[in-house]
Amino acid sequence: MKKTVLTLAILSTSVAYADEGMWMPQQLPQVAKQLKAAGLKLDPASLTKLTEFPMGAIVSLGGCSASFVSPQGLVATNHHCVYNSVAVNSTPERDLLANGFLAKTLAEELPATPGSRIFVTKDVSNVSDKIISLDVAKLSGKARIDGIEKNEKSLVAECEKDPGHRCTVASYYGGLEFYLIKQLEIRDVRLVHAPPAGVGKFGGDTDNWMWPRHTGDYGFYRAYVSRDGKAADFSKDNVPYKPQHFLKIAKQGVKEGDFLMALGYPGRTNRHRLPSEVAFTFDWNYPAFIKTSGETLAIIERETKNDPALKLKYAGQVAGVNNYYKNRKGMLSSYEGSDFLARKTREHGELKAWVKANPARQKAFGNDIEHVERLIAERDAQMKRDYFLGLSTPRLLNTARTMLRLVNESTKPDVERKAGFQQRDLPRLQSGVAAIERTYDDKVDKALVLNNLLKYAAQPAAGRSASFDAAIGIKDGMSPAELSALLDRLYAGATTLGDAKQRSAALKMTPAEFKVSNDSFIKAAVAMYDAGLTREAQEEELAGKVQQAYANYMKAKIAFMNSKGQAVYPDANGTLRVTFGRVAGRDHGADGTGSWTAFTTVKGIVAKATGEGEFNAPANQLAAIKAKDFGKYVDAKLKTVPVNYLGTLDITGGNSGSAALNSRGELIGLAFDGTLDSIISDWDFNKANTRDIQVDVRYILWNMRHVDHADNLLKEMGVE
């Protein structure tokens, strides 16, 4: 890799903590001494080789992380990552969520949620100079965004000439650097095993983000390909994928103080954000999100009450909303009374003073630092203005708008289509459109929309979307009853989009056919189309200016931090990362009293089990614990089976399902959560507080062997 700003940013690592940092694999040689000092027995250089062990075993599910654990394409991840696949395969008569699922043979495996993917990273290359080419570097605003998109599409098209692969361009350091990522896209994904909710979701939302924890957050998929080994759509003729590498289960259990690393795909962190972005997020965005999420959960509970089938439809959404609802509340709790914003403001002031102290630096960076602050204020104002607009749009209207955009873009040569609507995007779009009714109900959707529409319609007309108002029929001063009646007419109108066959047929319509359709949601989508393009262009004009200024701001920040001998790793952005630390408890709990031990055990399951709700541990599991039927999975020190353990790993959302490995690269667990008082580390890393939670592989194996009798899978993984 050539010496870019990214490479230079990590040459000085003397003050970086081993526990802090979501490192790109390419960066690891620069922190090799730290890795070795922490206890890694593998050659750190081996972790840069994406197609060799262990990196070749690590995969993405497009929102969660996972890993191959057998030569037959068996994939281990978290229970909450396979949760929706369990839900869509469940019925009130066969409730797989409550009772769990185990395929004893390949023939018994079930299709995962439509659109599910397993992505195997094959190559990552720096393409910064190809994205911000000499021509693009001269552009600003929307022209700059268009130029960047054109270059991205060109690189992606060339990369995807290799059939069955998905290529993307990821942005790092606020648009300062760009990397082309090539992944094998496995499209036939099947559910293999998930324990009952009383294991996989034990503790539910009460224990979410909490310690001590006793959750068996694990589940298994299998990757399938065509008989010639190529990526293919679901078919009974497909065969299990044979990965080049898979993880082996550790024969020795992990103990406190041991080296620990996680390999996965963390979603987003925000440690390089400006003070104004911190203030906007914690003073307005998160409080708004918490309020809306609380209302959403209450409405779904009300509308699905006494209807088991409807509850199953919305189980995945409820789990997702609940997760972020508690996450954001924890963020705010940690933020309130902290000096985070004050420190950010002081550090930003020091950066500006450092820039102003040198004429060359002032010339290179000064204008953009001031400019980016103004642009971000403008972007935040837009977000605030449009907050309830997105939440007030019926789901079938959003579907109609997506389909209309797709058919309009399909009239152009593929290279000229908007990113997201090219030929390569068709399978994803078609799967999403086809699967709507599995997670949708008119009554529930209408109730959710009405709740937000009341707030949207109460805004002054200048703060609303004129095209949305006209298409829906919103006028100033409408009463709640009038808005409810308006929605009743829209949902009860001549729409066929609730039917999968009709949606599939609509995808094949021409733009002209869309324009004359009498479908109520399609008519609204057509009415909003032109104004939507205008709004998109305005947003891209601002985005282009932000990208240009923010990238230069980050260049200044990296140079400033390097001048102080500080390492600079990029914020997480959904791409493959490595984080390392150790197994460790904490001296004090969140309330400042007591201590947190590094491990929990099955004794805690018995203590918490109530036989109902979130703490409804399966009877056969409780019986096995009572009988001390532990086999070889007893920890010598704990004298029983460990369940979860704490580590000092730097993880975030998206890391769910990440393989937790020991110093030899053997699987010792799956990362699945953090603790409530440390999740603000997405913004502000705190070495003393930050802890992540893993499910211990010994608990997974014990439960599979002694409770669920998944002997076929244990044999496949080479542990029985």
Side-chain angles (χ1 to χ4, degrees):
M1 186 177 73
K2 63 184 179 180
K3 282 194 175 182
T4 62
V5 171
L6 185 151
T7 312
L8 295 174
I10 61 170
L11 291 178
S12 300
T13 58
S14 58
V15 299
Y17 297 119
D19 314 88
E20 179 183 354
M22 301 177 186
W23 302 98
M24 296 172 66
Q26 303 95 308
Q27 294 179 291
L28 293 178
Q30 305 294 336
V31 290
K33 289 182 179 179
Q34 286 176 277
L35 279 162
K36 282 298 194 181
L40 180 67
K41 300 231 175 3
L42 299 175
D43 179 357
S46 69
L47 299 178
T48 69
K49 300 171 182 176
L50 303 183
T51 57
E52 297 185 17
F53 179 84
M55 303 304 292
I58 308 305
V59 299
S60 169
L61 303 180
C64 277
S65 302
S67 52
F68 288 119
V69 290
S70 91
Q72 295 297 313
L74 188 66
V75 170
T77 187
N78 286 157
H79 179 270
H80 73 262
C81 296
V82 305
Y83 191 85
N84 209 39
S85 291
V86 182
V88 299
N89 281 292
S90 293
T91 64
E93 298 73 31
R94 191 191 184 202
D95 192 343
L96 303 182
L97 278 178
N99 302 319
F101 173 73
L102 171 64
K104 286 284 192 178
T105 66
L106 296 180
E108 294 178 2
E109 295 173 1
L110 300 173
T113 305
S116 294
R117 297 289 187 268
I118 293 173
F119 296 98
V120 187
T121 299
K122 294 295 185 179
D123 186 55
V124 178
S125 55
N126 191 327
V127 292
S128 302
D129 56 347
K130 295 178 181 177
I131 296 298
I132 308 295
S133 59
L134 292 176
D135 289 340
V136 170
K138 300 173 184 175
L139 302 175
S140 183
K142 186 179 186 306
R144 188 178 182 90
I145 292 296
D146 290 343
I148 289 172
E149 184 178 305
K150 180 181 178 182
N151 289 341
E152 286 182 351
K153 288 192 293 188
S154 176
L155 288 170
V156 165
E158 183 63 29
C159 178
E160 290 184 351
K161 286 181 179 178
D162 190 354
H165 288 79
R166 183 81 176 180
C167 301
T168 55
V169 175
S171 169
Y172 296 75
Y173 296 111
L176 178 59
E177 294 202 345
F178 298 85
Y179 280 74
L180 177 67
I181 300 165
K182 181 179 181 180
Q183 296 175 308
L184 177 67
E185 181 183 22
I186 295 175
R187 305 194 299 274
D188 186 349
V189 182
R190 303 186 197 179
L191 180 66
V192 178
H193 175 44
V199 173
K201 209 171 182 292
F202 185 78
D205 295 313
T206 299
D207 274 4
N208 192 21
W209 304 106
M210 306 303 287
W211 187 261
R213 195 75 178 273
H214 301 84
T215 308
D217 204 342
Y218 68 90
F220 293 88
Y221 278 143
R222 193 182 304 278
Y224 279 80
V225 291
S226 63
R227 291 188 178 277
D228 60 359
K230 304 293 185 183
D233 293 327
F234 177 88
S235 168
K236 62 181 179 59
D237 297 323
N238 286 348
V239 296
Y241 172 70
K242 297 184 182 300
Q244 289 182 316
H245 300 280
F246 60 92
L247 299 178
K248 294 182 179 178
I249 310 299
K251 291 188 170 137
Q252 298 296 321
V254 67
K255 62 184 184 300
E256 188 160 13
D258 279 358
F259 174 86
L260 174 68
M261 67 179 174
L263 314 182
Y265 292 80
R268 298 284 166 186
T269 55
N270 304 283
R271 294 179 192 157
H272 295 306
R273 296 290 186 176
L274 290 155
S276 61
E277 293 178 281
V278 172
F280 175 77
T281 299
F282 287 90
D283 293 344
W284 184 84
N285 193 300
Y286 283 176
F289 176 90
I290 290 167
K291 187 175 187 304
T292 302
S293 296
E295 292 168 355
T296 295
L297 292 169
I299 290 167
I300 294 176
E301 172 62 25
R302 182 190 75 210
E303 297 296 326
T304 63
K305 193 174 183 180
N306 302 321
D307 190 334
L310 207 51
K311 276 188 178 294
L312 284 173
K313 276 192 172 187
Y314 279 85
Q317 182 175 342
V318 167
V321 173
N322 253 321
N323 188 46
Y324 280 100
Y325 178 57
K326 195 164 186 178
N327 174 290
R328 299 306 188 241
K329 288 174 75 174
M331 291 264 201
L332 281 186
S333 179
S334 294
Y335 178 75
E336 289 168 0
S338 75
D339 67 342
F340 176 36
L341 181 58
R343 279 188 288 107
K344 267 284 185 183
T345 302
R346 183 177 66 250
E347 290 165 4
H348 190 58
E350 291 170 355
L351 165 62
K352 291 200 284 189
W354 179 79
V355 168
K356 289 179 180 178
N358 181 288
R361 293 197 294 260
Q362 176 63 30
K363 182 178 180 182
F365 307 125
N367 290 338
D368 280 324
I369 292 177
E370 301 298 331
H371 194 202
V372 76
E373 292 174 320
R374 293 193 297 272
L375 292 170
I376 286 171
E378 185 178 342
R379 186 182 66 189
D380 290 346
Q382 282 187 358
M383 185 184 300
K384 209 169 183 179
R385 179 197 67 194
D386 296 338
Y387 182 74
F388 286 111
L389 173 61
L391 295 171
S392 301
T393 305
R395 185 169 172 190
L396 290 182
L397 174 53
N398 275 328
T399 299
R401 296 186 72 190
T402 297
M403 293 193 297
L404 177 58
R405 183 66 181 269
L406 178 62
V407 299
N408 277 315
E409 293 293 334
S410 296
T411 64
K412 307 173 187 176
D414 195 55
V415 71
E416 295 178 14
R417 297 180 193 176
K418 187 68 180 172
F421 294 93
Q422 294 181 278
Q423 192 67 31
R424 66 194 292 269
D425 302 303
L426 278 177
R428 174 183 55 81
L429 293 168
Q430 290 168 341
S431 294
V433 168
I436 285 173
E437 64 267 18
R438 297 195 186 194
T439 56
Y440 173 82
D441 177 81
D442 272 354
K443 176 174 72 95
V444 180
D445 193 64
K446 192 188 306 179
L448 291 169
V449 169
L450 178 60
N451 178 60
N452 293 297
L453 191 66
L454 293 171
K455 297 159 189 169
Y456 167 80
Q459 296 177 133
R464 305 198 307 260
S465 165
S467 64
F468 178 75
D469 287 4
I472 301 299
I474 296 173
K475 296 181 175 59
D476 286 342
M478 293 184 80
S479 69
E482 289 172 322
L483 288 169
S484 181
L486 183 155
L487 285 182
D488 286 341
R489 290 192 296 273
L490 182 66
Y491 280 83
T495 182
T496 60
L497 294 186
D499 181 82
K501 290 183 179 178
Q502 295 299 326
R503 290 195 303 275
S504 179
L507 281 172
K508 299 172 185 174
M509 288 166 55
T510 65
E513 288 171 326
F514 259 85
K515 285 184 178 179
V516 298
S517 172
N518 284 320
D519 186 290
S520 55
F521 286 116
I522 291 179
K523 286 175 70 174
V526 170
M528 295 171 64
Y529 189 77
D530 289 340
L533 292 181
T534 299
R535 180 178 286 248
E536 181 181 276
Q538 292 169 345
E539 291 171 351
E540 290 180 346
E541 177 68 22
L542 177 59
K545 293 175 181 176
V546 170
Q547 188 278 330
Q548 189 173 14
Y550 213 107
N552 211 30
Y553 155 72
M554 280 305 305
K555 190 182 292 186
K557 183 174 182 180
I558 290 169
F560 175 56
M561 292 175 72
N562 283 173
S563 74
K564 299 195 295 181
Q566 294 181 352
V568 187
Y569 52 84
D571 268 321
N573 61 354
T575 61
L576 184 58
R577 303 294 178 93
V578 178
T579 175
F580 59 98
R582 60 193 174 91
V583 178
R586 258 177 56 178
D587 291 337
H588 296 286
D591 59 359
T593 62
S595 62
W596 288 355
T597 59
F599 289 87
T600 59
T601 74
V602 292
K603 293 179 182 177
I605 295 174
V606 175
K608 287 182 176 180
T610 63
E612 58 185 20
E614 297 175 323
F615 297 93
N616 187 18
N620 59 341
Q621 186 193 59
L622 292 173
I625 297 171
K626 183 177 180 180
K628 296 186 178 180
D629 182 15
F630 298 145
K632 62 184 180 182
Y633 301 111
V634 174
D635 180 276
K637 183 177 180 181
L638 300 172
K639 308 299 184 187
T640 187
V641 179
V643 178
N644 299 147
Y645 62 87
L646 291 172
T648 62
L649 299 180
D650 189 0
I651 69 169
T652 188
N655 270 121
S656 291
S658 290
L661 306 182
N662 63 17
S663 60
R664 294 175 294 278
E666 298 167 331
L667 188 69
I668 52 175
L670 300 170
F672 73 91
D673 209 355
T675 58
L676 197 61
D677 67 328
S678 68
I679 55 177
I680 198 172
S681 64
D682 280 4
W683 291 81
D684 184 32
F685 187 88
N686 183 310
K687 179 177 171 62
N689 281 2
T690 299
R691 292 293 184 274
D692 76 310
I693 307 173
Q694 282 72 221
V695 55
D696 196 305
V697 74
R698 290 170 289 182
Y699 178 66
I700 297 173
L701 299 177
W702 171 77
N703 209 68
M704 292 174 70
R705 172 69 179 85
H706 293 264
V707 180
D708 288 334
H709 306 293
D711 303 302
N712 57 315
L713 300 182
L714 295 172
K715 182 178 180 180
E716 181 179 342
M717 293 189 291
V719 294
E720 291 291 339

